[in-house]
Amino acid sequence: MASLNIRNVEKHYGDLRTLKGVNIDVEDGEFLVLLGPSGCGKSTLLSAIAGLAPVSSGQIVIDGVVVNDIESAKRDIAMVFQSYALYPTMTVRRNLTFGMRVRGASRQQQDEAVKRVAGILQLDQLLDRKPSQLSGGQRQRVAMGRAMVRQPKIFLFDEPLSNLDAKLRTDMRAEIKKLHLREKTTTVYVTHDQIEAMTLATKIVVMQGGEVQQIGSPQTIYEHPENLFVARFIGSPAMNCINGTLKLEGADAVFVGGAQATAGLRVNLGAISEGYRPYVGKKVVLGVRPEWLAHSADTTSPELIQAVVDVVEPTGSDNFVILLACGETLMARFAPGVGVTGQRVGLAVDLSKALLFDATTEQRIAR
């Protein structure tokens, strides 16, 4: 196990900057997820950590040692790729021990490593099979096992579950989580799937355009996004983001927005805070996650957002309900059976969680 420090790392391809001053600290034993859309630089950063792509400037530090000039094979890291990259003519046993044989490990060391890893990953009954005889999930477990036999300082995962179907992804997420809880090896995991990020990470780094947008725990990233990009990217369904203006009515901060100028959407945010006061009269964006909207049968109260149900999407455990309110389209997360197309409803906003963003800088406004 080891710590990892990314210090002001840049990566240039000619005039194209794919990493822009990236700074990240990973503590010993943490599970860090690099999250972002395709092309945001997360895989490039993982390759830089692995030593597969030299950085243009900055430092990669593993366990206190700058490894920029240390070749990949000597960094004591192990990588699991999106493609399983198994040797098709070798059995599972030989795939697991291939790297050990290359490094000259004894037969006893190989057998001990296989026994340990096969037991953890439930590969005991598969050791004499070849990759063609395995399911996708079994192949991915073999790929993980090949990394584990080395007992590296750091595990690197590059979108390892993207080739699996939905059920296998769920199963393998649980396997990876159990593996980390058991081994406690420092792990860096790349994905564009926010469900993977939220369920696996102890710390998430959200990236966009080669830059770090926010670093924090999954719950912090979800409930307190630093900017509109993070707010919109994290969460499924996505956060409702409504353009409007912040007004002062008596001692209260009131958000007034909506696409219809004649029938504004109003949300009384309560007594104005010192953080909100400088934004009175300015353009802001109200951020409300679907589950922060509560259903009400009251269709007259001015304290509620009055809306009409447009589409109901039952999922079994919840109803995702698309509503129309003052020209805005909102998404709410209701209990099963709640919401009928064409029905008029009231929506109560959870004011303890609702967020405001500066419409110009797109940064969250601190209360």
Side-chain angles (χ1 to χ4, degrees), residues 126-175:
L126 308 176
L127 292 175
D128 296 322
R129 296 187 189 181
K130 292 185 177 179
S132 61
Q133 299 171 297
L134 304 177
S135 69
Q138 290 169 337
R139 293 178 193 176
Q140 193 56 276
R141 291 210 302 273
V142 176
M144 289 167 56
R146 188 171 54 188
M148 288 172 60
V149 293
R150 297 184 54 187
Q151 295 186 290
K153 288 183 177 179
I154 298 176
F155 279 133
L156 305 179
F157 288 85
D158 189 7
E159 302 202 48
L161 308 184
S162 59
N163 289 335
L164 304 181
D165 62 38
K167 185 180 184 307
L168 275 177
R169 281 201 303 273
T170 301
D171 293 343
M172 287 305 301
R173 278 205 311 267
E175 292 291 338

Side-chain angles (χ1 to χ4, degrees), residues 344-366:
R344 295 188 65 83
V345 299
L347 299 174
V349 178
D350 186 340
L351 299 180
S352 68
K353 294 185 175 180
L355 305 171
L356 283 184
F357 299 88
D358 186 314
T360 302
T361 66
E362 299 194 345
Q363 297 299 302
R364 177 170 52 86
I365 301 170

Side-chain angles (χ1 to χ4, degrees), residues 72-119:
S72 179
K74 296 181 179 179
R75 293 191 183 190
D76 200 7
I77 53 92
M79 194 162 182
V80 179
F81 296 92
Q82 178 178 345
S83 59
Y84 315 123
L86 302 179
Y87 297 101
T89 60
M90 294 185 186
T91 62
V92 168
R93 185 188 303 276
R94 290 183 66 80
N95 264 285
L96 291 174
T97 59
F98 179 78
M100 298 185 72
R101 296 199 307 275
V102 170
R103 294 190 299 274
S106 68
R107 180 63 180 268
Q108 181 180 351
Q109 290 174 317
Q110 294 177 41
D111 289 344
E112 289 174 353
V114 168
K115 182 178 180 180
R116 177 180 64 87
V117 170

